[in-house]
Amino acid sequence: MRRLAARGAAGDAGEAAAPAADRTDCARGRGRSPWRLIDLRAIWDTGVVLPAADWKGPSSGVAGRRLNKAEALSSVRKAQFERLEAARPRGPGSRERGPVLRMAGQQPPPWVLAALLLCLPSLGGAIEIPMDPSIQNELSQPPTITKQSVKDHIVDPRDNILIECEAKGNPAPSFHWTRNSRFFNIAKDPRVSMRRRSGTLVIDFRSGGRPEEYEGEYQCFARNKFGTALSNRIRLQVSKSPLWPKENLDPVVVQEGAPLTLQCNPPPGLPSPVIFWMSSSMEPITQDKRVSQGHNGDLYFSNVMLPDMQTDYSCNARFHFTHTIQQKDAFTLKVLTNHPYNDSSLRNHPDMYSARGVAERTPSFMYPQGTASSQMVLRGMDLLLECIASGVPTPDIAWYKKGGDLPSDKAKFENFNKALRITNVSEEDSGEYFCLASNKMGSIRHTISVRVKAAPYWLDEPKNLILAPGEDGRLVCRASGNPKPTVQWMVNGEPLQSAPPNPNREVAGDTIIFRDTQISSRAVYQCNTSNEHGYLLANAFVSVLDVPPRMLSPRNQLIRVILYNRTRLDCPFFGSPIPTLRWFKNGQGSNLDGGNYHVYENGSLEIKMTRKEDQGIYTCVATNILGKAENQVHLEVKDPTRIYRMPEDQVAKRGTTVQLECRVKHDPSLKLTVSWLKDDEPLYVSNRMKKEDESLTIFGVAERDQGSYTCIASTELDQDLAKAYLTVLADQATPTNRLAALPKGRPDRPRDLELTDLAERSVRLTWIPGDDNNSPITDYVVQFEEDQFQPGVWHDHSKFPGSVNSAVLHLSPYVNYQFRVIAVNEVGSSHPSLPSERYRTSGAPPESNPADVKGEGTRKNNMEITWTPMNATSAFGPNLRYIVKWRRRETREAWSNVTVWGSRHVVGQTPVYVPYEIRVQAENDFGKGPEPDTVIGYSGEDYPRAAPTDVKIRVLNSTAVSLQWNRVYSDTVQGQLREYRAYYWRESSLLKNLWVSQKRQQASFPGDRLRGVVSRLFPYSNYKLEMVVVNGRGDGPRSETKEFATPEGVPSAPRRFRVRQPNLETIHLEWDHPEHPNGILTGYTLKYVAFNGTKVGKQIVENFSPNQTKFTMQRADPVSRYRFTLSARTQVGSGEAATEESPAPPNEATPTAAYTNNQADIATQGWFIGLMCAVALLVLILLIVCFIKRSRGGKYPVREKKDVPLGPEDPKEEDGSFDYSDEDNKPLQGSQTSLDGTIKQQESDDSLVDYGEGGEGQFNEDGSFIGQYTVKKDKEETEGNESSEATSPVNAIYSLA
């Protein structure tokens, strides 16, 4: 059985909405509410409002109306705003409306719309007036623009023109338009009409007319009796797609390898067309890093090759609105070449250009021209930088930013690295960028100075302002831009300067302040902020309402909640001025707040842990200066749903019957539903299954029934579930010994738990062990659960050996214990036993105090005291709380104290970084805990007030300096001294025209030190340095800037050290100057040495002047390779070296060299020498045997000498014999293999070719051969000796030696 912690799934909705508790009143204008209104019907159906995904902590709340930037509120207004917040999460469980439960999908009543729209103004900008007629008839609203066309409105000339303008207000607004700042009389133009109940203009061309006649700047005005709202100035333009002018283009003649630009020059369209290149046969032009299209539409060839003339090139322009493509006349290329044959095999040649006779040349820029240019971009737009270069081979393009790195999160490379795009440009993206074009012949760079300007953008956009009569408020219009934008205020579409004077209104730059507002103050204000790059226009109305309190929810709501869960009681209300809200229970006279109750600023009442005694009638009363209103909420507390007899894991054989139990205890007033899952999917109850209220029976178990079964017991408020696993044995025969037939497994759960020997602080727990499943039980783990602080959570209590089944448990006071036991063997742990009955110990005062008491400042004028709260077994009684005491250290002032229910307390108005004595003592309803220990804490730190003085710098070497300074006075640190910190940066290099990064770096010196060393500096550079003091708050003021220079050092390695070997006689070396010269270069030192395998020649040293970057050497040995080491020198010495090796020799030289190396290597091995000695000894023995046989002399029959009998064609001697001494130089029969791997086939003794071609061979009259062996012996002496020597082991040894 597996128990799942899924209780109270629907009973703790208060947790989801808990962030609303910490938010401040929106009327204080401190930020934007994190709540978003997605769907009013969905919020009504679920009863829960959830925060937005980006909620990250306390934020400003939302009230029944919004006071933007209300910093000067009246006392009445301020007190009322502190009591309202709109995020009203529903309490757990369902909610009844009178005797009838609210059903999902029911139409939300008007009070819900009013509460959400009036209490959540930030969701849609202006506050919505609810559609409830009783409220709508009373509340008025100035116009608000809700929809309008874009500022640059481009239209299709083939369609009717539509210029949108929609607005809302109460009463509904009327509309009129201006065109080019003059009144636009719609009635006089039959083509122009305005949509009903809207300001949208429709210009109809079905009866004729030219759209171009209506181009211009339009502005919409929405007006009712409370004010006038304005749209943006809408610039209307008609899309244009002009034809391409006809051209007669001559063939473009170009030398192979030269650069080429094919200009597109598309006709000016509106909007600009999309450019792409194709052939006249509509085949796309393949682009790569050699051939590509620029941002201006031109086609660039870094170098032209002969295959480029196989097609023609046509520029195409696609126009967006008309969906047409204009094609320019095609270019044709004529390529002049030194290699007229277009051999396709040359395309994959490693050096295609030299193979075609194209001269290599250094890169040069085709676009942009020159070495420097500038570019301006607007903030928020994309920055596109482009560099296209020519050269042979095709150059590679790389991008850099001076003084920093490219923004990796916004930068991307396009067009084969020829373009750099930086998206969403901001001010920090300004600076100097440069592109570097390089090939093996050299490099060139182009610097682009980027200036970031900005059209106006909002820092603080004015918001609609709703006030009560007599209240104060303000409209703020702050924008930034580059250049800095100007701000112009208007009221109802007219400049504020020409509006009638208003003594209650004061304009202070970007702010309008309203004091003692009255009903007549209602109007719509416009803020227009602009600079040379654009403008922003915002409407914000000021509305004054005077409404007595009214309740927005039905009366006598019923809320049901599960016992020990958290819940909230909501009381949505509305009024102006915003009312205050108080709660009462069962008609009691005292306001509910504190202890188990907590009232949030929005008026919701939270009950932290609901008990039976919390049932009752709760009354909320809303009051303002115009009256009061009240409502009642009925709270019912229900028992939780629990599965007390859970299904158990079972092993059954096929064909038997299995019963899974699931017995449930629940609140009788709630409807219980029991359902089953199999393998976490809904169980289909077949005719072999029987589902009852407390069990599931499976008849005729089959293999497909094996799996996990989950019992789910649920009510409309909560649920509980338990899982068991059914194993089906395939063997139908019943095993004689079931335990022996099954492998070792986890033990079964203990059962029948019993509590005896009940005492005040102890109890005896006894249990019956379960089956050990062939593995002895080693331990029992006893766990407990308490129902006060963490109900449903089990904790380990103690552990006992596997040989016992009864133990005395030591208990804590005032804990309602419930125990369970888990058995453990070597396989694993059993499932927990069923819980025991509960046993509550009597209460007592705490015997300990909270741990980890700390006092630290979170601001410069406070100290936050925190501690680790005590758990349930340490509380010892109800209503655990903490007595927090503090006083300044080393003073005799009295202790300040406060009683806290949580785990923190903030002491305000403290001096900066002052030590305090702190004590935190636990207390419950039975008494106080022991006297606590005193802990020293500190109030908040402030930034240091002084900088280190008398900073002295001493240069140690070219990369390090030592610092010395005077310490600051302790009272100026204003906190704990963390470190002294040096900020330093490289101002310039002592070498002229060397660009350096001025990025600031820092070196830290922890503690109260007076000296330190700054290392890793660049030699031969000018530096600046500042010192600061750092405490826990941050950096203090900076010291006087010091300047110093580092002496010369050794340079870094030469860059791009390259070794080329054009032939077997010469080697070319090339390099670039070091990236960091670190001084004045005096020259270069080249060291090189020849090597062949393990053999190394004598090192040769060459010295060069500082301007020399090339060297050519003549090879002395065409087989050996060379290792080169190159370093640069200053007066200090040689720097880091760059090492390269010459390429491997050509392929035809490789086998000889490899053979020589292998031969030399093998000849030095001991095993090879031993083998050769053994072979030599064997040959010596064979020679001795041969000499012994030869000394005998005589003649032998030929057939005895040969391995095969003579054929009939074999020549015969007259006597059939020959002298043995004539054959001692003949090769052995068969084939012989020489050491060089060649195979020489033994020639036949009877070959007529040998005899026939011999000049001295002749036949007798009878056909017999004369001089058979004399002629052949001469032949073999001239041709066979070489083979004989090569195959001889002795000769092999001599050749290796």
Short mmCIF file of all heavy atoms in Angstrom, two decimals, residues 238-253:
data_model
loop_
_atom_site.label_atom_id
_atom_site.label_comp_id
_atom_site.label_asym_id
_atom_site.label_seq_id
_atom_site.Cartn_x
_atom_site.Cartn_y
_atom_site.Cartn_z
N VAL A 238 -0.55 56.42 -48.74
CA VAL A 238 -1.01 55.38 -49.66
C VAL A 238 0.21 54.62 -50.18
O VAL A 238 1.21 55.23 -50.59
CB VAL A 238 -1.81 55.99 -50.83
CG1 VAL A 238 -2.25 54.90 -51.80
CG2 VAL A 238 -3.01 56.75 -50.29
N SER A 239 0.11 53.31 -50.14
CA SER A 239 1.23 52.47 -50.59
C SER A 239 1.50 52.69 -52.06
O SER A 239 0.58 52.86 -52.87
CB SER A 239 0.90 51.00 -50.33
OG SER A 239 1.89 50.18 -50.87
N LYS A 240 2.80 52.66 -52.43
CA LYS A 240 3.22 52.88 -53.81
C LYS A 240 4.16 51.76 -54.23
O LYS A 240 5.02 51.32 -53.45
CB LYS A 240 3.92 54.23 -53.96
CG LYS A 240 3.05 55.44 -53.63
CD LYS A 240 3.83 56.73 -53.73
CE LYS A 240 2.94 57.93 -53.44
NZ LYS A 240 2.38 57.88 -52.06
N SER A 241 3.97 51.29 -55.46
CA SER A 241 4.87 50.27 -56.02
C SER A 241 5.19 50.64 -57.46
O SER A 241 4.63 50.09 -58.40
CB SER A 241 4.21 48.89 -55.95
OG SER A 241 2.94 48.91 -56.57
N PRO A 242 6.07 51.62 -57.69
CA PRO A 242 6.38 52.08 -59.05
C PRO A 242 7.11 51.04 -59.87
O PRO A 242 7.75 50.13 -59.33
CB PRO A 242 7.26 53.32 -58.79
CG PRO A 242 7.88 53.06 -57.46
CD PRO A 242 6.86 52.30 -56.67
N LEU A 243 7.01 51.19 -61.20
CA LEU A 243 7.68 50.26 -62.11
C LEU A 243 9.16 50.60 -62.21
O LEU A 243 9.58 51.74 -61.99
CB LEU A 243 7.04 50.32 -63.50
CG LEU A 243 5.57 49.89 -63.58
CD1 LEU A 243 5.05 50.10 -65.00
CD2 LEU A 243 5.42 48.45 -63.14
N TRP A 244 9.92 49.58 -62.60
CA TRP A 244 11.35 49.77 -62.80
C TRP A 244 11.59 50.45 -64.16
O TRP A 244 10.98 50.06 -65.15
CB TRP A 244 12.06 48.42 -62.79
CG TRP A 244 13.33 48.44 -62.01
CD1 TRP A 244 14.40 49.23 -62.20
CD2 TRP A 244 13.63 47.61 -60.90
NE1 TRP A 244 15.38 48.96 -61.28
CE2 TRP A 244 14.93 47.96 -60.46
CE3 TRP A 244 12.96 46.60 -60.23
CZ2 TRP A 244 15.56 47.34 -59.39
CZ3 TRP A 244 13.58 45.98 -59.16
CH2 TRP A 244 14.86 46.36 -58.75
N PRO A 245 12.43 51.47 -64.21
CA PRO A 245 12.69 52.10 -65.52
C PRO A 245 13.42 51.14 -66.45
O PRO A 245 14.26 50.34 -66.02
CB PRO A 245 13.57 53.31 -65.16
CG PRO A 245 14.18 52.96 -63.83
CD PRO A 245 13.16 52.10 -63.12
N LYS A 246 13.06 51.21 -67.73
CA LYS A 246 13.69 50.34 -68.70
C LYS A 246 15.15 50.76 -68.93
O LYS A 246 15.47 51.95 -68.99
CB LYS A 246 12.94 50.40 -70.04
CG LYS A 246 11.59 49.73 -69.99
CD LYS A 246 11.71 48.22 -69.76
CE LYS A 246 10.36 47.55 -69.80
NZ LYS A 246 10.48 46.08 -69.59
N GLU A 247 16.04 49.78 -69.03
CA GLU A 247 17.46 50.05 -69.21
C GLU A 247 18.01 49.11 -70.28
O GLU A 247 17.55 47.98 -70.43
CB GLU A 247 18.23 49.85 -67.91
CG GLU A 247 17.82 50.77 -66.78
CD GLU A 247 18.61 50.48 -65.51
OE1 GLU A 247 18.23 49.53 -64.79
OE2 GLU A 247 19.61 51.17 -65.26
N ASN A 248 19.03 49.57 -70.97
CA ASN A 248 19.80 48.73 -71.88
C ASN A 248 21.16 48.50 -71.23
O ASN A 248 22.02 49.39 -71.23
CB ASN A 248 19.95 49.39 -73.25
CG ASN A 248 18.62 49.49 -73.98
OD1 ASN A 248 17.79 48.59 -73.90
ND2 ASN A 248 18.42 50.60 -74.71
N LEU A 249 21.34 47.35 -70.68
CA LEU A 249 22.53 47.05 -69.90
C LEU A 249 23.52 46.31 -70.78
O LEU A 249 23.21 45.22 -71.32
CB LEU A 249 22.19 46.22 -68.66
CG LEU A 249 21.22 46.86 -67.67
CD1 LEU A 249 20.90 45.90 -66.53
CD2 LEU A 249 21.81 48.16 -67.13
N ASP A 250 24.71 46.87 -70.95
CA ASP A 250 25.77 46.18 -71.68
C ASP A 250 26.37 45.10 -70.80
O ASP A 250 26.32 45.17 -69.57
CB ASP A 250 26.87 47.18 -72.08
CG ASP A 250 26.35 48.23 -73.04
OD1 ASP A 250 25.43 47.90 -73.84
OD2 ASP A 250 26.85 49.38 -72.97
N PRO A 251 26.96 44.08 -71.40
CA PRO A 251 27.63 43.05 -70.59
C PRO A 251 28.72 43.68 -69.71
O PRO A 251 29.44 44.59 -70.13
CB PRO A 251 28.20 42.09 -71.62
CG PRO A 251 27.36 42.29 -72.84
CD PRO A 251 26.98 43.75 -72.84
N VAL A 252 28.81 43.19 -68.52
CA VAL A 252 29.81 43.68 -67.58
C VAL A 252 31.08 42.86 -67.78
O VAL A 252 31.07 41.63 -67.62
CB VAL A 252 29.31 43.56 -66.12
CG1 VAL A 252 30.39 44.05 -65.16
CG2 VAL A 252 28.02 44.34 -65.94
N VAL A 253 32.17 43.54 -68.17
CA VAL A 253 33.44 42.88 -68.43
C VAL A 253 34.31 43.05 -67.20
O VAL A 253 34.52 44.18 -66.71
CB VAL A 253 34.13 43.47 -69.67
CG1 VAL A 253 35.45 42.75 -69.93
CG2 VAL A 253 33.21 43.37 -70.89
#
